[in-house]
Amino acid sequence: MIRGFAMHGYGHQALSLFNKMRVARIQPDSVTFVAALSACAHVGLVEDGYHCFNSMKDVYGIEPKLEHYTCLVDLLARAGRLDETYKTISTMPMKPNAVLWRSLLGASRVHENLDGNYVLLSNMYAKINRWDSVKEVRNAMKNLGVSKLPGSSLIEIDGVLHEFLMGDKTHPNSKAIYMKLEEISKRLNTYGHKSITKEVLFDIEEEEKEDALSYHSERLAIAFALIKLPSNSCAPIRIIKNLRVCSDCHESTKLISKIYGAEIIVRDRNRFHHFRDGTCSCLDYW
């Protein structure tokens, strides 16, 4: 239950349940602490996370393992406390793995601090318009046989599973989907949406970047759902995405939920996002 609360962005409820366990004298084990630390990471409760981590050994005599350090690093990295993140990785009693360094690198990208992961490094250079560096990294990836996983989104409509890739035009309803996307884009503009183009990882014109964002896989899935589901339907639109939701899609989906009066639930690589009436359950922290 604690882990479930964490994945859906209800960090305070997760910690409340964790505290109820302790009050009831139910001894938390190492797995419980992973769930509690994960809850802190998902909503940015840094001090609560530190307290939880330190209590493992000081109160319960549980020696933190790699997975607990991973949660702590994730918590600090998401919060932008990069110096503390690096210090934790450097001083932990076991050898850090690639996941820990990836957390630091990913946080550096999100918080635009450029002071490994080839894809993340390429993305970081693209975000600050260092296109020559992007080319160098991508050439290195090609030479080493490293490939970037394409983003895809799955949605089930009437018992049939539909998969979309970015810019996908292979779906039987492709023409109607792209007409709906055009309508969505116009309505988003009417509501004052400004595309967050800094995450488009190609050296192209600004207008082309906006078009590229409009064709992300989850946008196609949402457009398809809005076509197929009755306008008075109360059923939520449920999407499974294999990668992290980008900033522009996150902002757009919040606004789409308000414009169309739809509840949209997106499960990305890290967590669930519940979009309702222009807001998201993650409170823009993911």
Side-chain angles (χ1 to χ4, degrees):
M1 288 180 68
I2 294 171
R3 178 66 175 155
F5 276 130
M7 290 184 68
H8 288 271
Y10 301 115
H12 293 283
Q13 291 91 325
L15 288 185
S16 176
L17 190 59
F18 180 63
N19 289 328
K20 285 182 179 179
M21 283 184 63
R22 296 196 289 187
V23 171
R25 298 183 182 276
I26 300 173
Q27 186 81 0
D29 59 14
S30 62
V31 177
T32 311
F33 277 104
V34 169
L37 287 167
S38 176
C40 294
H42 278 303
V43 292
L45 300 174
V46 176
E47 300 310 320
D48 288 298
Y50 265 132
H51 177 75
C52 182
F53 183 85
N54 292 330
S55 72
M56 288 184 63
K57 187 173 182 179
D58 296 343
V59 179
Y60 297 99
I62 300 174
E63 195 70 37
K65 300 177 182 177
L66 180 61
E67 53 265 36
H68 302 106
Y69 279 97
T70 300
C71 290
L72 181 61
V73 165
D74 187 40
L75 167 64
L76 296 172
R78 287 172 184 262
R81 295 166 71 157
L82 303 184
D83 289 340
E84 293 173 62
T85 305
Y86 181 74
K87 182 179 179 181
T88 300
I89 293 174
S90 302
T91 59
M92 55 190 286
M94 65 282 292
K95 183 179 179 180
N97 60 13
V99 175
L100 290 167
W101 290 116
R102 176 188 167 89
S103 294
L104 178 58
L105 188 58
S108 299
R109 179 182 69 84
V110 171
H111 297 283
E112 301 186 14
N113 184 337
L114 201 53
D115 261 348
N117 183 289
Y118 285 101
V119 174
L120 273 174
L121 188 59
S122 174
N123 293 358
M124 288 165 66
Y125 282 133
K127 196 169 183 179
I128 59 173
N129 296 319
R130 285 181 54 176
W131 299 108
D132 289 341
S133 299
V134 171
K135 186 177 180 180
E136 288 178 13
V137 173
R138 289 180 177 171
N139 284 338
M141 290 172 63
K142 184 177 180 180
N143 293 335
L144 292 170
V146 178
S147 60
K148 183 180 185 297
L149 185 67
S152 68
S153 293
L154 294 170
I155 185 169
E156 183 180 338
I157 302 289
D158 296 330
V160 178
L161 200 61
H162 302 262
E163 181 178 20
F164 296 93
L165 302 176
M166 177 182 172
D168 196 348
K169 292 187 178 180
T170 61
H171 194 277
N173 297 99
S174 180
K175 185 176 181 179
I177 290 171
Y178 276 83
M179 288 178 63
K180 193 67 175 180
L181 280 176
E182 186 175 341
E183 174 201 308
I184 291 171
S185 294
K186 288 179 179 178
R187 297 192 69 176
L188 286 173
N189 290 334
T190 300
Y191 274 76
H193 174 69
K194 300 295 183 183
S195 297
I196 305 173
T197 57
K198 62 184 178 181
E199 292 194 10
V200 177
L201 309 176
F202 301 98
D203 188 10
I204 55 179
E205 296 298 324
E206 198 71 14
E207 186 175 343
E208 293 178 281
K209 288 185 177 184
E210 292 180 8
D211 287 342
L213 289 169
S214 299
Y215 303 145
H216 278 187
S217 62
E218 60 266 50
R219 302 277 190 100
L220 296 170
I222 291 171
F224 180 60
L226 292 174
I227 292 169
K228 288 296 184 180
L229 295 177
S231 58
N232 61 348
S233 174
C234 296
I237 296 171
R238 300 178 185 272
I239 296 169
I240 300 174
K241 183 174 171 63
N242 67 331
L243 301 178
R244 181 182 182 274
V245 174
C246 79
S247 298
D248 187 71
C249 285
H250 192 268
E251 288 300 306
S252 297
T253 307
K254 287 198 299 183
L255 202 48
I256 291 169
S257 72
K258 182 176 182 179
I259 294 171
Y260 290 90
E263 179 184 359
I264 305 171
I265 302 173
V266 179
R267 169 67 164 98
D268 74 359
R269 185 179 61 192
N270 297 325
R271 63 182 298 161
F272 286 88
H273 296 265
H274 295 253
F275 299 94
R276 298 187 189 94
D277 196 31
T279 63
C280 180
S281 60
C282 76
L283 301 178
D284 300 337
Y285 190 94
W286 82 101

